Amino acid sequence: MGIHQALIGSYPSASAASWEIFSYPAGFNTISASNLQANDLVVFALGRDSGSGSVVGPTTTALINNTSINSITVLVRYLTVPATPADIGYFTFADYGLVLVFRNSGSTSSNISVEATHTTTSSPGHNNTAVAFSEGDLALLLAYIDDDATPMTPPTDSTKIAEDQNSGNGTIGAAYKEINTAGNYSWGSWTTTTTDNTVAYVIKIQES
């Protein structure tokens, strides 16, 4: 499909053979309906220093994960855009975060689940934990870092979507892999400059 520019914000989007992926940085409050299509999957991946309190996301979304882990408060929510898209207002009380829009031509529903979680006290990693995927799935890799602002280079066999940094509070990175052949897949560490606490997730996205 070629590389598309992000619909708003400064982050580039990614493009896989069957998917378009758009990213929005944390500084915006609304995604306009004009930038959405029916059946888009919108994922809100937000973070906060655990000493700063809770993270609040859109109440119209379904919860994937909301926890305080390894000194990091994590919130991941999602929604599927209805037949008539409407503006989506997103989050408050997040130190950093990304809003990711996944578009798969012809899809009518989305299933999304956390398949693996791994914590470290150094650069975040997925511990090479094997996860079973079906052909056409998308693997979403999320990495959270406590306190530090750091560049994020994703693990081998994945493509970076975007990152968001907040000095003194933390950083998030997102990457993906489109699954063209069913089987078990695993990923190692992100490359960063941190020696602080981290948590990383492998999330499976399936659409029909």
Side-chain angles (χ1 to χ4, degrees), residues 25-105:
F28 292 87
N29 295 317
T30 303
I31 303 175
S32 171
S34 63
N35 289 326
L36 298 169
Q37 294 181 12
N39 301 315
D40 283 353
L41 175 67
V42 185
V43 176
F44 304 82
L46 315 176
R48 197 175 194 192
D49 189 295
S50 61
S52 300
S54 61
V55 178
V56 179
T59 57
T60 56
T61 57
L63 180 66
I64 303 172
N65 193 12
N66 186 10
T67 187
S68 182
I69 183 171
N70 217 19
S71 302
I72 303 165
T73 299
V74 172
L75 178 66
V76 185
R77 302 185 72 96
Y78 75 98
L79 63 80
T80 301
V81 174
T84 302
D87 291 355
I88 301 173
Y90 36 109
F91 52 91
T92 57
F93 307 118
D95 288 329
Y96 51 89
L98 295 168
V99 182
L100 308 171
V101 179
F102 299 91
R103 180 172 300 161
N104 189 356
S105 178

Side-chain angles (χ1 to χ4, degrees), residues 30 57-58 66 83 92-93 99-100 124 133 137-138 145 161-162 177 198:
T30 303
N66 186 10
T92 57
F93 307 118
V99 182
L100 308 171
F133 287 90
D137 289 353
L138 197 77
I145 294 173
I161 302 171
K177 178 177 176 62
T198 74

